[in-house]
Amino acid sequence: MTDRDRPVALITGGVRGIGLATVFNLIGRGFRVVVADLDAPDETDLARLARRSDLTNLIVDVTDSASVDAMVARAVDTHGRLDGLVNCAGYNRHQPVAELEDATWQRLIDVHLGGALRCCRSAHAALKRGGQGAVVNFSSIAAHIGRPRRAPYSAAKAGLEALTRTLAVEWAGDGIRVNAVAPGIIWTRMVEDNIKRGTANRDSLIAGIPLARFGTAEEVASAVGFLMSREAGYITGQTLVVDGGATVNGNW
Ligand code: NAD
């Protein structure tokens, strides 16, 4: 396979956490990868990334349509094709609904749900041209169970799963598969920050997980890599839950 024949994947939110682990998984599967994020990678990760071949780094804000369109155009200009899109950009804020400000609600919905919509819309023509496109959206178990103080995040993720099913059907004729992953509690900066702020408690989180530990970014990245690959060629419109059994736990 020549270099120009190697598939190209674009990932948002890819400079740290689960996104960064997904970048390494996709490179391992032979993808050329375009990483786009609001932030630049930190120096250690940048050095790790720079050692890998065919990696392009872009700044994007997924809440801004012009920024998203420019990201997709750069990815296609650089590599001449686009075969995969992973919508991983995200963040979380915990607040009870009674105190929730409009701006918090709107920003969370706009980053997670609006962001994925903008990236999918912008990437559609290039994914269709390739003939075997794949999209993976990042949901969360918060879309499936009632987690207090997470209303905008949970609603955005549930909406993202509905968007995933709609696009799976709308784009099946274009040869594009659209799936989602729903991670449980994964040890990343997002979870670490919540524990440090006191908005989450480590022991009570682990008590609810049958496998009795947090997941790793690499374990979620494997699920994303699988859904992006030809091995998942007959899977579309699905959400793959990666949660150590948390959402099937009846042991209470
Ligand atoms: P993280 O904070 O380590 O990484 C998220 C990345 O998204 C960051 O690099 C951030 O800069 C980027 N980002 C945020 N807003 C953006 C914007 N407007 N435009 C572009 N980039 C933006 O988080 P993570 O834990 O690796 O989470 C990755 C994804 O997985 C998120 O969608 C999150 O909701 C989801 N998720 C995480 C967990 C978990 O336990 N960590 C659980 C379920 C779902």
Side-chain angles (χ1 to χ4, degrees):
M1 190 188 281
T2 69
D3 213 42
R4 299 296 291 177
D5 295 329
R6 281 173 56 208
V8 176
L10 169 61
I11 174 165
T12 67
V15 302
R16 61 174 196 250
I18 303 171
L20 184 62
T22 302
V23 169
F24 288 112
N25 187 289
L26 292 174
I27 289 173
R29 289 173 182 272
F31 281 90
R32 291 176 281 165
V33 179
V34 179
V35 186
D37 201 293
L38 202 52
D39 292 341
D42 75 24
E43 281 185 17
T44 318
D45 290 333
L46 191 60
R48 280 172 75 207
L49 289 170
R51 280 199 295 275
R52 312 304 293 242
S53 62
D54 294 328
L55 202 121
T56 313
N57 218 293
L58 305 176
I59 298 293
V60 72
D61 180 352
V62 298
T63 65
D64 176 349
S65 294
S67 172
V68 167
D69 291 347
M71 164 190 79
V72 170
R74 259 295 288 290
V76 175
D77 282 355
T78 306
H79 295 292
R81 58 189 286 173
L82 186 64
D83 306 278
L85 169 68
V86 179
N87 289 308
C88 181
Y91 75 107
N92 202 355
R93 287 287 168 278
H94 295 185
Q95 255 181 351
V97 168
E99 294 163 20
L100 188 63
E101 286 154 12
D102 283 355
T104 307
W105 167 265
Q106 275 155 6
R107 177 83 190 164
L108 275 159
I109 299 284
D110 206 25
V111 169
H112 291 274
L113 184 52
L117 181 279
R118 284 182 198 93
C119 294
C120 286
R121 181 177 62 195
S122 190
H124 173 249
L127 292 172
K128 183 179 172 182
R129 254 192 322 276
Q132 287 186 309
V135 176
V136 176
N137 292 320
F138 265 76
S139 181
S140 162
I141 58 168
H144 304 178
I145 54 176
R147 303 271 293 146
R149 300 180 303 282
R150 291 161 179 83
Y153 182 81
S154 306
K157 294 300 198 186
L160 195 43
E161 291 193 16
L163 178 68
T164 300
R165 288 186 286 270
T166 302
L167 289 181
V169 177
E170 198 166 310
W171 290 357
D174 298 330
I176 304 169
R177 295 179 301 105
V178 186
N179 291 292
V181 288
I185 311 210
I186 311 300
W187 188 247
T188 61
R189 197 158 107 187
M190 193 167 94
V191 171
E192 199 179 347
D193 285 351
N194 285 329
I195 289 173
K196 274 192 202 143
R197 272 199 295 266
T199 49
N201 177 281
R202 186 192 179 90
D203 292 344
S204 64
L205 286 175
I206 287 182
I209 304 170
L211 291 183
R213 63 174 177 86
F214 295 137
T216 66
E218 289 71 23
E219 286 168 322
V220 180
S222 305
V224 178
F226 165 68
L227 289 172
M228 291 284 285
S229 76
R230 302 274 162 82
E231 293 163 63
Y234 199 52
I235 302 176
T236 195
Q238 303 303 309
T239 298
L240 181 51
V241 178
V242 186
D243 72 348
T247 50
V248 296
N249 191 3
N251 191 21
W252 42 267

